[in-house]
Amino acid sequence: MLTDIEIAQAAKMKNITEIAAGLGFAPEEIEPYGHYKAKITEEAITRLKNKKDGKLILVTAVNPTPAGEGKTTVSIGLGEAMEKIGKNAIVALREPSLGPVFGIKGGAAGGGYSQVVPMEDINLHFTGDMHAITSANNLMCAMLDNSIQQGNELNIDPRQVLVKRCLDMNDRALRNIINSLGGRLNGVPREDHFIITVASEVMAILCLAEDVFDLKKRLGNILVAYTYDGEPVYCRDIKANGAMTVLLKDAIKPNLVQTLENTPAIMHGGPFANIAHGCNSIRATKAALKLADYTITEAGFGSDLGAEKFLDIKCRFAGLKPNCIVLVSTVRSMKYNGGVPKDELTTENLEALKKGSVNLGKHIENLKKYGVPVIVAINHFYADTDAEIDFVKSFCEEKGADFAVTKCFAEGGEGGKELAEKVVEACEKESNFRHIYDIDMPVYDKIETIAKEIYGADGVDYTKEAKQAIDGFIKLGADKMPVCIAKTQYSLSDNPKLLGRPENFRITITSASLSNGAGFIVCLAGNVMTMPGLSKSPSAYRIDIDEKGNTVGLF
């Protein structure tokens, strides 16, 4: 089989103006970035507001293997398959980050014959959104340090600066640094840190903002530091939010692209699914709902992270109500959760499959608690045997979950037709969507509810530092905010080694931060990496330009 990039480079793409026209956009309602990418204008977003919403389908997954389970590939393939069965559909996805692209995890444009294109552009600089977010975040940091340097009118304590500079690249050398060395003209020396752009609060805010004015307000609400007296300092206090908004005025517009089968796709925003909410922008999802009868969107990592945040944070803020949830599972993920090493996952092992099936079972149970119809997408890999696939089917039947085998990677939309038919049926059923916790619950009760109901924990413990931080946020008026728990994606617990369905465990909140502009409290359980490093053999080793000027090695 051809590589992902070879398939993408051979694609017969339509001009983006043709894709836009098929969605009902007038020529002036899009801003083309070349022949195959475009921004959707503010005027178009405004015009769409009074249109009726289509059905909303969330695609999520079980706890993944290190290579991922093909959630984006299934999302794209489902969008293509919907068109093949005569339905009007659109996919709404996150944008890739350069860190994973040049690291080990890869991009976010799908794979095989289920991709969004132009794949190279999307996985690299795209329309510049990531760069705009990086610049806006770092402008805020520069203005904060300048405020300290220029007389420190706000009485900012350099030891209590909360915001971090960012870079859209894996670079462990920047995690912990000392800045402003070299004398008085270079600023006030202090300990500083870098995070990857997709982990920044600016990214989370862009994806939650309703419009550019809401964006400016939210940016102004970022808690940037404390004074020597312990008083909060916000981004608006250092007068940065106006200029930041100007840097983001184009980035807030959703991006329009297409799939390999020329069906429409919107890609916009890409916050981490642990440190933030892991979903594409509210603006993109709402626009997609107006443009098609069926909108397929995804949430990052497993359902214990991305889906929980989509359902309890994004849907709460945006007033969204999903009609169906697709839970992507694979034979290899079940064997991995059954204790099989990652280099042995292609060997048939029914015993491990049975042992690891409890992980899938817990995810099914969790999603049913939200009152939305659930369908398991069994994403077929080349090494899966008939006996293994039959076991997963039987397991889904035992759990009362509908299911469909998908082969979108190898067959594109044709390989997702069974899933598409099941999704259409599910969307006709009644959806009694509800959040897992009430927003008026005390903060500690919200955390406890997620830990017990979603992770299966017996309870929650807090370090002294975490409890002090959360109590301080409550005093600042954050007690009515949703909570965003950051933990490992590999386990339902906060320990990546506890695979399957852990029991008799407690999670420990080690630290907490307030994403005041985004509107949620972030609670870290365990060690969550906000600035990844490159592996011993990163993808960057294999990415190159050939003698004809073509990109090679990009998956």
Side-chain angles (χ1 to χ4, degrees):
M1 184 171 169
L2 299 174
T3 64
D4 289 354
I5 193 167
E6 288 171 336
I7 294 169
Q9 288 173 340
K12 291 181 170 60
M13 291 182 283
K14 292 182 178 179
N15 192 291
I16 198 63
T17 57
E18 189 175 348
I19 299 295
L23 292 169
F25 287 124
E28 64 273 13
E29 290 184 318
I30 63 164
E31 297 170 356
Y33 280 60
H35 300 300
Y36 307 112
K37 313 181 294 288
K39 286 280 187 185
I40 300 172
T41 66
E42 197 63 40
E43 291 75 17
I45 297 288
T46 301
R47 177 180 64 80
L48 291 170
K49 282 184 178 178
N50 294 324
K51 287 191 68 177
K52 182 182 177 182
D53 284 347
K55 305 287 188 181
L56 179 60
I57 299 105
L58 170 66
V59 180
T60 184
V62 295
N63 291 105
T65 62
E69 305 319 300
K71 181 169 71 272
T72 304
T73 300
V74 171
S75 300
I76 297 163
L78 176 57
E80 294 173 329
M82 284 287 205
E83 295 288 335
K84 284 191 174 294
I85 65 169
K87 301 300 180 181
N88 178 20
I90 190 169
V91 293
L93 306 171
R94 294 173 297 164
E95 298 179 52
S97 164
L98 289 178
V101 168
F102 289 102
I104 192 169
K105 193 174 188 299
Y113 290 93
S114 182
Q115 298 186 55
V116 281
V117 285
M119 181 264 251
E120 290 173 65
D121 294 11
I122 290 167
N123 277 318
L124 298 176
H125 302 288
F126 203 14
T127 57
D129 293 347
M130 292 292 179
H131 303 306
I133 293 164
T134 302
S135 298
N137 180 89
N138 292 345
L139 171 64
M140 171 179 62
C141 293
M143 291 182 70
L144 186 146
D145 278 314
N146 189 57
S147 180
I148 297 172
Q149 170 75 356
Q150 305 292 353
N152 199 8
E153 276 186 30
L154 297 173
N155 199 32
I156 295 169
D157 184 350
R159 298 164 300 178
Q160 295 194 76
V161 170
L162 304 177
V163 290
K164 301 174 177 65
R165 287 171 165 82
C166 70
L167 184 73
D168 191 35
M169 189 60 64
N170 292 359
D171 192 346
R172 63 171 58 83
L174 294 176
R175 286 175 189 159
N176 302 294
I177 62 172
I178 302 295
N179 67 15
S180 302
L181 299 179
R184 292 182 62 187
L185 289 177
N186 294 323
V188 178
R190 65 178 180 85
E191 183 180 359
D192 203 358
H193 313 270
F194 269 79
I195 57 177
I196 195 165
T197 298
V198 289
S200 68
E201 186 178 353
V202 176
M203 168 63 85
I205 287 172
L206 184 89
C207 291
L208 293 171
E210 289 284 348
D211 53 38
V212 73
F213 304 106
D214 185 38
L215 174 67
K216 179 182 175 181
K217 180 181 178 182
R218 287 175 176 271
L219 292 172
N221 288 338
I222 296 174
L223 180 64
V224 297
Y226 287 101
T227 67
Y228 282 107
D229 301 321
E231 294 300 313
V233 180
Y234 298 99
C235 185
R236 59 179 177 269
D237 297 325
I238 60 171
K239 300 180 175 65
N241 57 317
M244 291 168 70
T245 305
V246 171
L247 281 172
L248 296 168
K249 68 182 179 65
D250 290 322
I252 197 174
K253 300 171 185 174
N255 305 297
L256 178 65
V257 285
Q258 63 192 288
T259 70
L260 285 173
E261 298 180 11
N262 309 122
T263 60
I266 295 177
M267 300 188 77
H268 193 222
F272 260 16
N274 42 24
I275 204 73
H277 58 292
C279 318
N280 70 325
S281 75
I282 284 176
R283 285 165 62 83
T285 302
K286 284 191 168 184
L289 286 167
K290 305 295 185 182
L291 292 167
D293 296 329
Y294 297 90
T295 291
I296 297 110
T297 191
E298 65 168 352
F301 294 138
S303 75
D304 53 319
L305 284 171
E308 187 275 317
K309 294 171 176 59
F310 178 93
L311 298 165
D312 286 318
I313 297 178
K314 178 175 176 176
C315 286
R316 196 188 301 270
F317 285 153
L320 299 173
K321 295 183 178 181
N323 300 91
C324 171
I325 299 175
V326 174
L327 175 63
V328 177
S329 185
T330 59
V331 165
R332 68 177 189 172
S333 70
M334 293 170 75
K335 289 192 288 191
Y336 184 75
N337 275 282
V340 176
K342 60 183 179 180
D343 56 353
E344 297 177 18
L345 294 174
T346 56
T347 303
E348 183 180 281
N349 190 330
L350 292 172
E351 185 178 338
L353 189 64
K354 181 178 180 180
K355 183 180 177 183
S357 63
V358 294
N359 184 264
L360 171 59
K362 175 60 174 166
H363 284 279
I364 292 171
E365 291 173 24
N366 284 350
L367 293 173
K368 284 187 173 183
K369 292 176 181 179
Y370 288 93
V372 181
V374 178
I375 300 170
V376 176
I378 306 169
N379 192 18
H380 192 284
F381 280 68
Y382 73 96
D384 298 345
T385 67
D386 290 343
E388 289 174 325
I389 293 293
D390 287 342
F391 175 85
V392 182
K393 288 179 178 179
S394 298
F395 182 81
C396 291
E397 287 175 348
E398 284 177 27
K399 291 295 177 181
D402 207 349
F403 61 88
V405 176
T406 64
K407 297 183 179 180
C408 301
F409 181 88
E411 301 176 8
E414 193 67 31
K417 285 170 69 175
E418 180 189 0
L419 177 61
E421 297 281 7
K422 294 286 181 73
V423 166
V424 171
E425 290 176 19
C427 285
E428 296 306 314
K429 297 177 183 176
E430 189 173 1
S431 175
N432 299 303
F433 174 61
R434 55 185 173 271
H435 303 293
I436 205 73
Y437 58 80
D438 190 281
I439 197 65
D440 292 326
M441 288 172 64
V443 172
Y444 290 105
D445 289 352
K446 293 172 190 169
I447 298 168
E448 189 101 359
T449 299
I450 295 172
K452 289 182 174 180
E453 293 292 328
I454 302 300
Y455 308 155
D458 294 335
V460 183
D461 298 317
Y462 300 86
T463 63
K464 180 181 177 181
E465 294 77 14
K467 193 168 189 315
Q468 281 182 337
I470 294 170
D471 289 343
F473 303 150
I474 293 171
K475 289 179 181 177
L476 291 177
D479 53 318
K480 302 303 181 187
M481 288 185 179
V483 293
C484 175
I485 301 181
K487 69 172 188 67
T488 177
Q489 68 266 36
Y490 297 119
S491 172
L492 286 161
S493 74
D494 55 357
N495 181 350
K497 295 180 180 179
L498 294 180
L499 302 180
R501 182 173 183 166
E503 295 180 338
N504 304 315
F505 71 94
R506 298 175 67 84
I507 71 164
T508 300
I509 303 300
T510 55
S511 62
S513 60
L514 177 60
S515 290
N516 194 60
F520 51 73
I521 297 174
V522 179
C523 299
L524 272 71
N527 183 27
V528 178
M529 190 59 64
T530 56
M531 171 50 88
L534 293 172
S535 66
K536 189 172 183 179
S537 180
S539 296
Y541 282 176
R542 295 170 287 281
I543 298 172
D544 205 344
I545 295 286
D546 67 15
E547 64 279 1
K548 296 181 180 179
N550 297 315
T551 302
V552 294
L554 193 65
F555 327 124

